[in-house]
Amino acid sequence: MSFKGIIFDLDGTLLDTIEDIADSMNRVLSENNLPIHDTEAYRLFVGSGIRNLVKQALPKAHRDEATIRAYFETMYRRYKENCVNKTRPYDGVTDLLDELAARDLKLAILSNKADEMTQYTARTLLPEEYFTIIAGLTDESLKKPNPQKALQMSQEMGIDPKEMIYVGDTDVDMQTANNAGMYAVGVLWGFRGEEELRANGAKKTVAHPSELMALL
């Protein structure tokens, strides 16, 4: 198969965001005298948007809808203020993007992170001129693994979904890729492991960004 475009997840795929996410949520919890979590725990909380992360981070006794909504609003503000403190591209990502752009592949980013933060972190820390589309979450009903946004991107880029690679680091990403009829590639440097990626439909797993070039 000759691939013409790639859609990337953002957190855990292009950017290592886990420390800023953990720091922000832990500060919210600490300020409210609730138990915090170590950074590793947040690797299991991420992937389905900030609202879901807040729900997972809260003690089970505090997961009623009103409390989740209130803590989501606080976390959103806190993370917005601190989302690029420690976040950086993973080693090899910038070189990969340079090479892909040089080959004239069309690139896009699709994240379950709120669109405002997706736009800010991606455009601040990555070469935005390489991406045809950058999109985060604007509507809970369109959250991955719903393939609608991925398919819309494919259409806007003028590429058949079968000619698209979808790259991500979680079960949600692999499900999105397969739901959209795209070639699912799981990255092993992100927030989850190979077993989860394979179990959810990864056609290929890669241990370093440079390994993606072998698919082209």
Side-chain angles (χ1 to χ4, degrees), residues 8-26:
F8 290 96
D9 173 52
L10 185 63
D11 296 43
T13 301
L14 295 176
L15 298 179
D16 186 357
T17 58
I18 200 69
E19 287 191 74
D20 284 333
I21 290 171
D23 288 352
S24 297
M25 188 66 215
N26 278 341

Side-chain angles (χ1 to χ4, degrees), residues 17-80:
T17 58
I18 200 69
E19 287 191 74
D20 284 333
I21 290 171
D23 288 352
S24 297
M25 188 66 215
N26 278 341
R27 185 171 174 183
V28 171
L29 293 169
S30 179
E31 288 171 347
N32 289 277
N33 299 312
L34 293 174
I36 64 172
H37 306 275
D38 61 37
T39 301
E40 288 302 305
Y42 282 94
R43 295 180 182 275
L44 299 178
F45 298 164
V46 298
S48 295
I50 295 175
R51 187 185 185 283
N52 183 72
L53 178 141
V54 169
K55 179 180 178 180
Q56 296 299 317
L58 284 170
K60 290 183 179 180
H62 292 73
R63 292 180 184 176
D64 60 278
E65 191 60 34
T67 302
I68 292 170
R69 187 183 307 114
Y71 278 79
F72 166 78
E73 292 173 357
T74 305
M75 169 57 176
Y76 190 98
R77 292 194 303 270
R78 183 73 68 201
Y79 183 55
K80 182 180 177 180

Side-chain angles (χ1 to χ4, degrees), residues 1 3 5-7 161-168 174 177-178 180-186 198 201-205 212 215:
M1 173 62 71
F3 296 108
I6 303 176
I7 297 176
K162 293 180 180 178
E163 298 176 309
M164 295 286 294
I165 298 174
Y166 187 101
V167 183
M174 298 304 95
N178 283 284
M182 299 176 180
Y183 189 83
V185 175
R198 292 287 187 185
K203 302 294 191 298
K204 174 78 174 178
T205 58
L212 277 168
L215 299 174

